[in-house]
Amino acid sequence: EPEVTQTPSHQVTQMGQEVILRCVPISNHLYFYWYRQILGQKVEFLVSFYNNEISEKSEIFDDQFSVERPDGSNFTLKIRSTKLEDSAMYFCASSEQGASGNQPQHFGDGTRLSIL
Amino acid sequence: EDQVTQSPEALRLQEGESSSLNCSYTVSGLRGLFWYRQDPGKGPEFLFTLYSAGEEKEKERLKATLTKKESFLHITAPKPEDSATYLCAVFLTGGGNKLTFGTGTQLKVEL
């Protein structure tokens, strides 16, 4: 069964450094998302991406964050000048359609980001 | 403010002991409700989509139902492999494509 894959599974970075989290969505999906889950808290929406542009972003997704689809298969989340509070599990998800189609979003297994 | 609340936070069952998990929502407009299963260190795994009150979906020992205010995930004769955190998430009217998640119910099924 097709799945969303994320790399690396665990990233340890010094505060202030930049990190890039990588995702390969399911191949026929058109909508891509990033969510994060701080330990013990809810899964929170960060950003959605469609047709090579951001379609929606949350208040969390400020200028520190950016997303890119550099080629036909990868989808990346860049976090510049990381802070301690950026430590979390970051999930990539994809779906065939957006919410209007009520299609489920399928999630990868996440990247655990630890900021020291 | 739109809210999705799950109860109980944690549930311990004996193998074969059926029970229900609750997801209640106070939202301005619901377009769809999703149930996911999350194992430790893994991403949410899609289980069900429910669109309208009265709808029911089943898969093996799991059955999801939806009313105008809440959804239930019924687990019949659970097995230890059903142990996981069960997450409820909603698409809101005017909420774009983002899912709003509840805090989850951590289920442990013991022999």
Side-chain angles (χ1 to χ4, degrees):
Chain A
E1 184 175 331
E3 58 182 23
V4 176
T5 57
Q6 291 186 244
T7 55
S9 56
H10 191 191
Q11 174 81 46
V12 181
T13 301
Q14 292 290 327
M15 186 172 58
Q17 297 297 304
E18 174 183 288
V19 295
I20 297 176
L21 310 183
R22 303 180 190 278
C23 169
V24 178
I26 295 173
S27 61
N28 65 329
H29 286 186
L30 301 178
Y31 291 79
F32 314 116
Y33 314 87
W34 285 100
Y35 290 79
R36 79 173 185 189
Q37 187 175 29
I38 295 170
L39 190 63
Q41 297 187 22
K42 293 183 184 184
V43 176
E44 300 175 287
F45 170 80
L46 293 178
V47 66
S48 61
F49 191 87
Y50 170 70
N51 200 25
N52 279 321
E53 61 183 24
I54 291 173
S55 51
E56 188 179 4
K57 60 184 180 179
S58 72
E59 292 177 354
I60 303 167
F61 194 89
D62 59 20
D63 292 343
Q64 183 193 7
F65 294 88
S66 61
V67 290
E68 190 179 29
R69 187 154 164 82
D71 53 45
S73 59
N74 291 284
F75 180 51
T76 62
L77 174 69
K78 182 189 290 187
I79 309 175
R80 287 179 284 275
S81 188
T82 49
K83 298 175 281 194
L84 293 176
E85 53 264 39
D86 294 328
S87 296
M89 183 75 94
Y90 288 81
F91 293 109
C92 174
S94 68
S95 62
E96 288 185 52
Q97 300 177 39
S100 60
N102 257 331
Q103 291 291 310
Q105 296 176 13
H106 295 273
F107 287 75
D109 281 339
T111 292
R112 178 168 298 286
L113 179 62
S114 300
I115 307 299
L116 304 180
Chain B
E1 182 185 344
D2 295 323
Q3 281 201 345
V4 180
T5 305
Q6 291 188 246
S7 62
E9 288 186 12
L11 181 63
R12 295 178 81 163
L13 299 174
Q14 295 296 310
E15 185 176 13
E17 180 186 1
S18 301
S19 187
S20 296
L21 314 183
N22 177 263
C23 171
S24 63
Y25 52 92
T26 52
V27 299
S28 50
L30 180 73
R31 287 193 291 175
L33 185 143
F34 300 82
W35 281 98
Y36 286 86
R37 168 190 171 129
Q38 187 175 27
D39 292 298
K42 300 287 188 180
E45 175 189 348
F46 170 70
L47 294 173
F48 302 110
T49 308
L50 300 165
Y51 302 115
S52 55
E55 191 174 3
E56 298 182 352
K57 295 275 180 73
E58 274 188 83
K59 180 181 179 179
E60 296 180 358
R61 295 178 292 281
L62 300 177
K63 179 179 175 181
T65 61
L66 182 66
T67 72
K68 288 185 177 179
K69 293 183 179 181
E70 58 194 348
S71 177
F72 291 94
L73 184 66
H74 307 277
I75 303 178
T76 303
K79 297 182 178 182
E81 53 261 42
D82 295 321
S83 298
T85 296
Y86 291 85
L87 303 174
C88 165
V90 299
F91 273 146
L92 302 176
T93 302
N97 295 327
K98 71 177 183 184
L99 282 171
T100 300
F101 279 84
T103 47
T105 293
Q106 191 172 5
L107 173 66
K108 184 169 177 60
V109 182
E110 299 172 330
L111 290 169

